[in-house]
Amino acid sequence: MKERFRPSPAVRVNIFAAVVPQTVTPKLELRSVSRTFRSHAGDVNALENVSLRIRPGEFVCIVGPSGCGKSTLLNLFAGLDQPTSGKVLMDETVISHSGPDRVVMFQEHGLFPWLSVRKNVEFGLRWKGVAAERRREIARHWLRVVHLEKFEDNYIHQLSGGMKQRVALARSLAMDPEVLLMDEPFTALDAQSRDLLHEELEQVWSSTKKTIVFVTHNVREAVRLGDRVVLMTFRPGRIMEDVRVNLSRSRHVEDADVAATAKELMAYLRTDIERAFREERPS
Amino acid sequence: MKKTLRLLVFFAIIVGLWQAFAMAGIWPSYVFPSPKTTAEALRQGFADRTFIIGIAISMKRVLIGYTMSALGGILLGALIGASSWLEDTLGTCVSGLQSLPSLCWVPVAILWFGLSEKAILFVTIAGSLLAVTMNVVTGIHNVPRIYVTAARNLGAHGIRMYLHVLLPASLPHILSGLKQGWALAWRSLISGEMIFLSLGLGQLLMMGRDLNDLSQVFAVMILITVIGYTVERFAFAPAEAQIRRRWGTA
């Protein structure tokens, strides 16, 4: 067994092991969850006996090498996948299906090319029974928040990658979900767009206090955004470390304390990433 | 403009070559009519209104037959695309039957409907419906998973998923199915019209044969080509361009 994460004294002020007090009812919870995928090459334990409690309004970043089951974890919360064993709960109720109270933002945005920007943002509101007039208002509001109000009549392909993710963010927020699940949403973006989106996301989060689960393989991004960073191991996917980030907001990816904290977490993850790298390559 | 000019020059050369061959006298003129006699046959056909009536009647038939094929094909395709069970059974059947040339349906049509308007309609529909169907099925199958996942996550289910995600997402395939369906319906109609005295363009072709008047046959062939092309050019090409613009695949 690996030794526990030991941050240097300087970084220890920035982070400490996260303990969710039992008195708070978690918004989201994994209770001894395992998820096994069957394939011709044998079974893959994407998640093995994972337990996790997320408080209402918390911003949690899940970090790990690709193949560590972090997307699986998100899909379970989204209700897009079911666990092999264990329980996935929201407000102490088992999650059984995908629903608009837990909106997912995907890496490949999933915006519809046949609809205009505004119609994309309105899409889910229709099924909630919101009247057309009100749908338009809501869509315009969120497009303003992400600074895209001038592009409401454009089609998706006319936007840059960063703009597309902002539309996707507006579409998610328009649903007014209790939980926002983000699956590496900014990975494909250039550094400048990512910086701007980090700021916008942080602002939206601090003004709406939504519970956010943000999956990334980028430790710095996780430290930049999260209240809490959960490190995961590569196959079987387990929680390796769960730390609270004590840095004041608003942060920036280039901040010295963000960088120092990320560096130590990175060093800790390193051996596992190397193993992932070796196993993912055909020998 | 440049494109039109290029096309005009090209056609001038074709007609010139045609004229040269006709004048060389390799074949007698009743076997190989010159452009001039063909043009004369065209003029004659319009002057005594047989071509006008023929075009009107064929257009009416193809409009009815094609509309039924398009609607039926989309419906059937949507149905097959909806279930893997139907896909494996009916879908296999459809893709098999689709390879039949529309001429194969002519004897069936005659035996079922006799020498009637219905027989022609049957051949038109049989020749084009399945092509539309197959394209719709392909379209639905090729809808990226992410659209369905995202839509479900935003609360779309069942019929809503179909109408607001699967069908619009397959629009490029549906359109190419409709285009292919049009070409097939037009061809099948002409074959169907050759069955009996039906007054359409297909029958005018057969009449040319019976009268040993190849210039009329050529004239009608030109008409069929021009109409087929015009519809494709002015109905389908703009729709495709519109989709390409919207999708950004131009």
Side-chain angles (χ1 to χ4, degrees):
Chain A
M1 199 56 208
K2 235 172 134 148
E3 63 175 304
R4 274 194 72 81
F5 175 49
R6 288 184 204 288
S8 63
V11 165
R12 208 173 295 156
V13 254
N14 301 340
I15 53 178
F16 48 90
V19 184
V20 180
Q22 293 294 321
T23 49
V24 179
T25 308
K27 188 78 206 166
L28 294 169
E29 187 178 1
L30 295 178
R31 241 180 243 168
S32 318
V33 164
S34 297
R35 178 72 175 97
T36 310
F37 291 103
R38 303 197 177 282
S39 77
H40 57 273
D43 292 359
V44 174
N45 288 324
L47 292 176
E48 193 177 86
N49 198 21
V50 172
S51 291
L52 181 67
R53 294 154 65 86
I54 296 171
R55 273 197 277 182
E58 205 169 23
F59 196 141
V60 179
C61 292
I62 315 274
V63 189
S66 52
C68 73
K70 55 192 194 295
S71 289
T72 306
L73 190 150
L74 206 73
N75 286 339
L76 290 172
F77 280 140
L80 294 167
D81 192 11
Q82 292 295 323
T84 311
S85 67
K87 276 184 178 165
V88 186
L89 308 137
M90 172 158 158
D91 295 324
E92 307 201 293
T93 311
V94 173
I95 292 171
S96 59
H97 63 277
S98 178
D101 53 341
R102 288 156 279 128
V103 175
V104 188
M105 242 185 100
F106 304 93
Q107 188 181 341
E108 342 70 287
H109 62 79
L111 298 169
F112 307 128
W114 59 91
L115 296 177
S116 69
V117 165
R118 180 166 56 79
K119 291 280 178 192
N120 262 285
V121 178
E122 285 181 24
F123 183 84
L125 293 170
R126 203 177 176 138
W127 322 126
K128 286 176 104 182
V130 181
E133 191 68 17
R134 181 86 189 107
R135 287 207 295 268
R136 192 175 313 147
E137 278 171 36
I138 295 174
R140 288 204 170 125
H141 167 76
W142 287 110
L143 284 172
R144 251 194 316 278
V145 170
V146 297
H147 309 293
L148 284 176
E149 67 271 31
K150 288 201 193 78
F151 295 90
E152 62 167 302
D153 292 324
N154 283 64
Y155 284 94
I156 302 307
H157 74 93
Q158 299 169 313
L159 308 179
S160 70
M163 287 156 92
K164 284 176 191 161
Q165 283 303 2
R166 272 144 72 194
V167 177
L169 182 62
R171 181 172 75 174
S172 307
L173 293 166
M175 298 300 287
D176 193 22
E178 296 174 49
V179 173
L180 197 53
L181 302 167
M182 310 183 80
D183 193 359
E184 307 204 29
F186 307 144
T187 306
L189 303 183
D190 59 277
Q192 283 83 5
S193 307
R194 194 159 53 212
D195 274 2
L196 285 173
L197 274 155
H198 284 162
E199 279 165 33
E200 282 173 12
L201 179 62
E202 191 171 52
Q203 265 162 29
V204 165
W205 172 73
S206 55
S207 61
T208 59
K209 281 294 164 203
K210 297 199 181 301
T211 310
I212 298 182
V213 184
F214 189 106
V215 160
T216 177
H217 61 257
N218 185 335
V219 182
R220 270 222 206 173
E221 186 174 46
V223 174
R224 151 82 184 82
L225 288 171
D227 285 335
R228 198 174 150 195
V229 175
V230 176
L231 300 181
M232 293 190 64
T233 61
F234 177 77
R235 282 171 207 167
R238 288 198 197 104
I239 292 179
M240 186 196 253
E241 204 61 57
D242 186 346
V243 297
R244 188 154 287 282
V245 181
N246 201 29
L247 300 167
S248 62
R249 292 184 189 267
S250 158
R251 308 165 192 156
H252 189 269
V253 255
E254 303 299 339
D255 286 349
D257 42 6
V258 169
T261 308
K263 192 177 170 193
E264 294 205 11
L265 286 173
M266 192 68 198
Y268 185 64
L269 261 179
R270 181 132 204 134
T271 46
D272 219 64
I273 290 171
E274 276 165 4
R275 185 165 65 89
F277 192 62
R278 278 196 306 275
E279 286 186 27
E280 289 245 304
R281 294 171 121 191
S283 43
Chain B
M1 215 41 234
K2 195 178 161 196
K3 199 180 156 199
T4 320
L5 194 71
R6 211 185 287 164
L7 201 65
L8 281 176
V9 171
F10 178 74
F11 277 128
I13 292 171
I14 293 276
V15 173
L17 280 173
W18 180 7
Q19 181 68 32
F21 266 100
M23 277 164 63
I26 310 168
W27 305 285
S29 63
Y30 59 87
V31 175
F32 193 79
S34 70
K36 193 163 161 283
T37 45
T38 306
E40 177 55 28
L42 264 173
R43 198 198 59 79
Q44 181 68 34
F46 277 106
D48 66 14
R49 295 169 51 86
T50 41
F51 283 2
I52 297 173
I53 295 168
I55 291 171
I57 288 179
S58 290
M59 287 308 280
K60 187 185 129 215
R61 285 183 183 134
V62 83
L63 216 69
I64 298 171
Y66 176 63
T67 308
M68 290 170 82
S69 267
L71 293 177
I74 291 174
L75 216 67
L76 191 60
L79 208 67
I80 292 174
S83 111
S84 63
W85 189 85
L86 279 179
E87 162 89 54
D88 294 343
T89 52
L90 200 56
T92 313
C93 204
V94 166
S95 62
L97 285 176
Q98 197 217 335
S99 65
L100 274 179
S102 55
L103 222 50
C104 294
W105 294 105
V106 171
V108 182
I110 294 174
L111 292 175
W112 281 357
F113 301 102
L115 300 178
S116 70
E117 198 69 19
K118 276 187 197 147
I120 296 177
L121 204 60
F122 175 78
V123 174
T124 309
I125 294 172
S128 56
L129 181 122
L130 300 181
V132 180
T133 308
M134 281 321 291
N135 275 285
V136 175
V137 174
T138 312
I140 289 171
H141 274 235
N142 286 328
V143 173
R145 285 296 305 166
I146 181 82
Y147 294 157
V148 179
T149 313
R152 184 175 302 138
N153 185 243
L154 293 166
H157 293 281
I159 189 78
R160 289 168 176 175
M161 180 71 89
Y162 233 96
L163 293 179
H164 293 271
V165 181
L166 289 172
L167 285 181
S170 349
L171 214 55
H173 277 100
I174 294 178
L175 192 65
S176 74
L178 289 177
K179 189 171 136 184
Q180 206 180 321
W182 155 255
L184 285 167
W186 186 232
R187 283 182 224 179
S188 311
L189 171 80
I190 303 297
S191 333
E193 283 181 340
M194 291 185 186
I195 303 173
F196 68 107
L197 275 177
S198 63
L199 300 174
L201 289 174
Q203 195 237 326
L204 290 175
L205 276 179
M206 291 310 271
M207 203 163 82
R209 188 198 86 160
D210 294 341
L211 299 175
N212 216 352
D213 181 359
L214 206 54
S215 60
Q216 177 173 338
V217 174
F218 273 29
V220 176
M221 281 168 68
I222 290 172
L223 282 182
I224 293 170
T225 315
V226 168
I227 293 171
Y229 175 77
T230 307
V231 173
E232 193 182 306
R233 177 75 181 72
F234 292 100
F236 292 103
E240 278 181 319
Q242 170 73 18
I243 283 188
R244 273 202 301 270
R245 257 202 309 281
R246 207 175 255 216
W247 252 248
T249 45

